[in-house]
Amino acid sequence: MRDNFRILKADIFLLVAAFIWGAAFVAQRVGMDYLPPFYFNGIRFLLGGITLLPLVLINSKKSNQLNFFQKRDVKGVLVGGFCLGSILFVASSLQQIGMIYTTAGKAGFITGLYVVIVPIVGYFLKQDIHFGVVIGVILSVIGLYLLSINEDFTIDKGDFFVFLCSVMFSFHVIAIGYFAPKYDCIFLSCIQFFVNACLSLIVAFFWESISWQAIYGGLWPILYGGFMSAGIAFTLQVVAQKDAPPAHASIIMSLESVFAALTGWWILGEVLSLRARWGCIFMFIGAVLAQIWPYVFKRNK
């Protein structure tokens, strides 16, 4: 009974995290009305890193060990954090630029393609690939065509940037899989947020208009993107995945794209055409199949 309660609580945490991340697409879209993309990312990831700092200290005290503060581990964490932060910088920059030209709902579904791209990249890195991924890729390609490809077989500029962002997020997931088992994951995330913030602010300083007035105007989207999306949602995910079964986590986290579409419609009044809605359905089913197939197949076997 107690185990069931822990699983239910973990599932609720994951659902809240998925909703926060889905709604973050709206915050990013609104933020573009006040700040240019690199400036917006720089501020929000700076806030995200600051949010995680207390968790890094709490974790170190709770475990009564400061191994990652030793010379060797600090070097490893800094290298890992820099690599993750650099990849995240490219991915988030492409996403934020794409958000200027596309809707929050479409961006949510296209970004979610990383779920099926990760196994494909893993295949070229000599990792096994299951049949569910093949089906997921086919459905996702059909969905992307319905959602983003025009009648003249061209893709909208914003959707193309977000698609590239999804590819970069797949490399980010693979990089996390390499570094996370070696070091404290919250400490790694904290560093990657600060690296992303620094790179974004450097680009913004040279190529964008920077003003405190812009921060004031876009304060709520920035706070949501920084504290809620980066700090709170990430913490909920880390806590929840200690108890949530992988199949539960896969399905619930896939709802991020659905929440992006729903909040885009509710808050921004975005409306998807019937063709686009069918595209979203195909992409969502493809993403879910790619994640849960190994668990269903294993159970049936």
Side-chain angles (χ1 to χ4, degrees):
M1 185 71 178
R2 183 175 299 178
D3 290 340
N4 291 336
F5 177 76
R6 281 206 310 267
I7 292 174
L8 176 61
K9 184 174 70 173
D11 288 350
I12 292 174
F13 282 171
L14 285 172
L15 186 64
V16 173
F19 176 80
I20 291 174
W21 279 323
F25 285 95
V26 173
Q28 291 173 244
R29 186 68 185 83
V30 174
M32 292 298 90
D33 295 335
Y34 302 95
L35 293 88
F38 291 99
Y39 193 24
F40 180 83
N41 272 347
I43 300 299
R44 80 181 180 103
F45 280 108
L46 180 63
L47 291 177
I50 293 173
T51 303
L52 291 183
L53 274 177
L55 295 177
V56 173
L57 297 176
I58 290 173
N59 271 3
S60 65
K61 292 179 181 179
K62 195 173 182 180
S63 61
N64 290 322
Q65 58 180 2
L66 298 176
N67 289 341
F68 48 75
F69 287 120
Q70 295 176 0
K71 183 175 181 180
R72 184 190 63 185
D73 292 321
V74 164
K75 182 179 179 181
V77 172
L78 290 177
V79 170
F82 180 80
C83 291
L84 292 176
S86 299
I87 299 173
L88 182 61
F89 162 71
V90 177
S92 60
S93 298
L94 288 168
Q95 184 185 67
Q96 203 62 33
I97 293 172
M99 292 287 287
I100 299 175
Y101 308 104
T102 192
T103 65
K106 291 175 72 174
F109 277 97
I110 297 173
T111 300
L113 280 174
Y114 75 87
V115 171
V116 293
I117 296 176
V118 167
I120 295 174
V121 175
Y123 175 77
F124 290 101
L125 297 176
K126 310 285 178 147
Q127 298 176 5
D128 292 333
I129 185 171
H130 55 80
F131 188 63
V133 171
V134 178
I135 299 177
V137 169
I138 294 173
L139 292 175
S140 296
V141 170
I142 295 173
L144 181 62
Y145 171 78
L146 294 173
L147 183 65
S148 301
I149 304 299
N150 299 321
E151 294 180 357
D152 57 353
F153 294 98
T154 60
I155 187 170
D156 291 335
K157 179 166 59 174
D159 294 346
F160 178 69
F161 278 117
V162 178
F163 174 74
L164 293 179
C165 137
S166 180
V167 175
M168 291 307 302
F169 268 127
S170 68
F171 286 105
H172 184 252
V173 170
I174 292 172
I176 288 177
Y178 176 79
F179 288 110
K182 300 180 179 180
Y183 308 105
D184 181 89
C185 60
I186 296 181
F187 193 21
L188 267 176
S189 290
C190 184
I191 294 176
Q192 75 165 351
F193 287 160
F194 281 125
V195 169
N196 191 352
C198 289
L199 293 175
S200 297
L201 290 174
I202 289 173
V203 174
F205 179 80
F206 285 103
W207 279 285
E208 294 179 343
S209 176
I210 296 178
S211 70
W212 290 106
Q213 186 64 30
I215 296 178
Y216 178 77
L219 184 61
W220 288 112
I222 292 173
L223 290 177
Y224 187 93
F227 288 117
M228 295 293 292
S229 180
I232 294 178
F234 176 81
T235 304
L236 287 173
Q237 182 192 18
V238 170
V239 172
Q241 289 200 253
K242 292 179 181 178
D243 298 312
H248 288 208
S250 299
I251 296 173
I252 294 173
M253 297 309 293
S254 294
L255 292 175
E256 174 188 347
S257 58
V258 178
F259 287 132
L262 290 175
T263 52
W265 164 75
W266 181 40
I267 298 175
L268 301 179
E270 297 177 350
V271 179
L272 294 173
S273 65
L274 180 61
R275 172 190 170 101
R277 276 177 276 177
W278 274 110
C280 293
I281 291 172
F282 275 108
M283 293 173 71
F284 178 69
I285 294 176
V288 172
L289 279 178
Q291 293 178 82
I292 70 171
W293 186 278
Y295 308 107
V296 174
F297 181 77
K298 183 178 180 181
R299 180 177 298 178
N300 290 338
K301 185 176 180 181

